[in-house]
Amino acid sequence: MHKTPETYRLFFIYLTLAIIIRIVFWQVPKFDFVSYDDGMYVTLNHHVTTGFTVENIVWAFTAPHFYMWHPITSLSHILDCELFGLNAGGHHLVNLAIHIANTLLLFEVLRRMTKHIWPSAFVAAVFALHPLSVESVAWVSERKNLLSGFFWLLTIAAYIRYVNKSRILNYLLVIFVFAIALMSKPTAVTLPFALLLLDY
């Protein structure tokens, strides 16, 4: 398959963004859990630390988790405990991986909306390295921000697809991904207004 110069540019941007984030956040896997919220979300929550059981999955979908209903976030913490136990480094690495995914997804969404590669890459880089991102990446309890951001951006990507091809399946995909964003953090409820602004 013939690769165009644009394909190489995109690959270079993806790789550069990922490497820059990894360099800036290189210490994150060495961080421990903190006493603020990490206990309630992970280390002292027996539903999370005991891994995937029917009881814990039901709990994630039927009970508020630290005063919020976000089953997707709860399930992600449960999965981390299945994979890493209470080794904080593994939990932090997952946060870092989601942040990288969010940055690349933001770049792709902006590129598709504006058709401009380098300005989109610049905005994605600012998002990736902005100090406001540090808390979400370096604090295990802020997984909900990262997941909500990922599915927020994925909803916009699905909406772009729907605008370009107005099919019922594409519309249902927008609703489905939006629902997952809501199940990651309730503040995603404002996303439909963002879509209205994009249309405007």
Side-chain angles (χ1 to χ4, degrees):
M1 183 177 177
H2 179 67
K3 291 182 172 60
T4 64
E6 182 176 347
T7 303
Y8 289 109
R9 280 198 297 271
L10 291 175
F11 178 77
F12 171 76
I13 291 170
Y14 290 142
L15 186 62
T16 302
L17 288 171
I19 290 173
I20 289 173
I21 294 170
R22 187 64 184 93
I23 290 172
V24 170
F25 291 97
W26 69 273
Q27 297 180 73
V28 165
K30 299 179 180 180
F31 293 166
D32 203 347
F33 294 108
V34 296
S35 58
Y36 191 76
D37 285 359
D38 281 356
M40 295 287 289
Y41 275 94
V42 182
T43 57
L44 301 178
N45 189 324
H46 78 278
H47 289 291
V48 172
T49 57
T50 52
F52 280 113
T53 65
V54 173
E55 178 190 352
N56 292 344
I57 294 171
V58 170
W59 165 80
F61 281 95
T62 59
H65 185 172
F66 202 21
Y67 311 110
M68 275 196 286
W69 185 75
H70 43 54
I72 298 299
T73 298
S74 300
L75 289 174
S76 79
H77 287 306
I78 292 173
L79 178 61
D80 279 3
C81 285
E82 281 279 356
L83 296 174
F84 313 113
L86 291 178
N87 174 11
H91 296 252
H92 285 296
L93 270 177
V94 172
N95 276 14
L96 181 57
I98 298 172
H99 182 56
I100 292 173
N102 285 350
T103 301
L104 301 184
L105 187 54
L106 174 62
F107 165 66
E108 188 61 25
V109 164
L110 292 174
R111 184 182 72 85
R112 291 189 180 190
M113 286 195 300
T114 66
K115 310 300 182 188
H116 295 293
I117 292 179
W118 296 110
S120 300
F122 174 76
V123 173
V126 170
F127 168 81
L129 305 178
H130 196 282
L132 286 176
S133 297
V134 173
E135 180 181 84
S136 295
V137 178
W139 186 13
V140 172
S141 297
E142 288 300 281
R143 172 74 54 80
K144 56 188 178 293
N145 281 352
L146 294 167
L147 286 175
S148 176
F150 177 78
F151 290 111
W152 176 293
L153 291 167
L154 205 58
T155 302
I156 293 178
Y159 188 68
I160 294 170
R161 180 185 176 93
Y162 168 70
V163 168
N164 291 330
K165 293 182 180 179
S166 299
R167 298 174 182 168
I168 186 64
L169 286 178
N170 290 344
Y171 184 70
L172 292 174
L173 180 63
V174 174
I175 295 174
F176 175 73
V177 182
F178 171 53
I180 297 177
L182 283 173
M183 289 189 283
S184 301
K185 189 176 182 182
T187 52
V189 72
T190 58
L191 178 51
F193 298 100
L195 297 179
L196 286 172
L197 284 172
L198 285 176
D199 277 346
Y200 177 74

